[in-house]
Amino acid sequence: MKKLPRKNRNRKEKPGRVPARRRSSETGEGRRPPRFSQNLSVLYEDDAVIVLDKPAGLLAVPIEGSRTPSALSLLAARLQSKRQRALIVHRIDRFASGALLFAKSDPDRHPLVRQFLAHTPVRQYLAVLRGRLAAEAGTLVHYFRREGMFQKLRTVRDSKATRAELRYSVERRFADATLVRVELVTGLQNQIRAQFSAIGHPVIGDRKYHPAETREQLIARVALHAAYLQFVHPRSGKNVSVECKLPPDFQHLVQELSRPGRPRR
């Protein structure tokens, strides 16, 4: 029988790139193959900007060296026939869903990016948390340092840590879970997930920051949805408000958690 060639174990990885074989273990999100739609649903569009309803599992931007589709690549291909461009303004997590803003030209993108850097857009998310929050509303402030693919909790005394702040209000309580509306004050990667995990109420389905969520059967991804976005239009100077309804898998989770007599986890 002909032997298969052995893999080169000493092959060097490209600097700054996460090797594919390590991505699953480092992110904690590779246990199930990602499932997503390539159908781009447009929430708002004009000559300067476009807001998409990004499905969970679809990357916001491409991974270097990968052919995996992203919202940016799919939108760019779609706009090419109109001789328009797609330029990313901000990002949301791959396994989150909801409103994602793009510009169609550099002069339109620049003022939008400045808004996000100044944290002036209104960004509201819906999230289902593990456990019942005691307060009806509150503010969370933490300090994190980025290490690899994770936000690691630190203290204010850490000079390399970044401040993270969000406000939340309870929308609905279940037997052993809470639906909250979250408004970002700052904009760290994975911020909502990291902050609620830090207080012992991880987002349901978030295997990255709470590995025990691998046992969750009601939803196959993190229960986080970008439900509302408000920004200042780069040309008119007027506020643009965009709402994004819950996708079916998130609705299913809420319905199942609402069933009377559902056992506590």
Side-chain angles (χ1 to χ4, degrees), residues 183-224:
E183 183 170 332
L184 288 174
V185 179
T186 57
L188 273 65
Q189 184 180 19
N190 298 159
Q191 179 179 329
I192 294 172
R193 299 159 64 178
Q195 287 201 263
F196 281 110
S197 179
I199 66 168
H201 292 282
V203 180
I204 285 180
D206 188 4
R207 297 165 283 179
K208 179 175 181 178
Y209 287 94
H210 200 72
E213 289 299 319
T214 55
R215 299 194 297 268
E216 177 55 53
Q217 298 297 314
L218 294 180
I219 192 167
R221 49 96 170 191
V222 60
L224 183 63

Side-chain angles (χ1 to χ4, degrees), residues 7-32:
K7 294 182 180 179
N8 183 5
R9 298 180 182 275
N10 297 318
R11 184 178 59 185
K12 293 183 179 180
E13 303 292 348
K14 293 182 179 180
R17 182 183 176 192
V18 178
R21 64 178 176 273
R22 294 207 310 262
R23 285 175 192 150
S24 295
S25 61
E26 291 182 0
T27 63
E29 295 177 328
R31 297 176 184 273
R32 303 173 194 169

Side-chain angles (χ1 to χ4, degrees), residues 76-94:
R78 178 172 174 173
L79 294 180
Q80 189 174 18
S81 62
K82 302 178 183 180
R83 296 186 177 181
Q84 294 178 328
R85 299 171 66 196
L87 302 171
I88 193 76
V89 173
H90 70 120
R91 304 184 188 190
I92 61 176
D93 294 348
R94 177 179 185 175

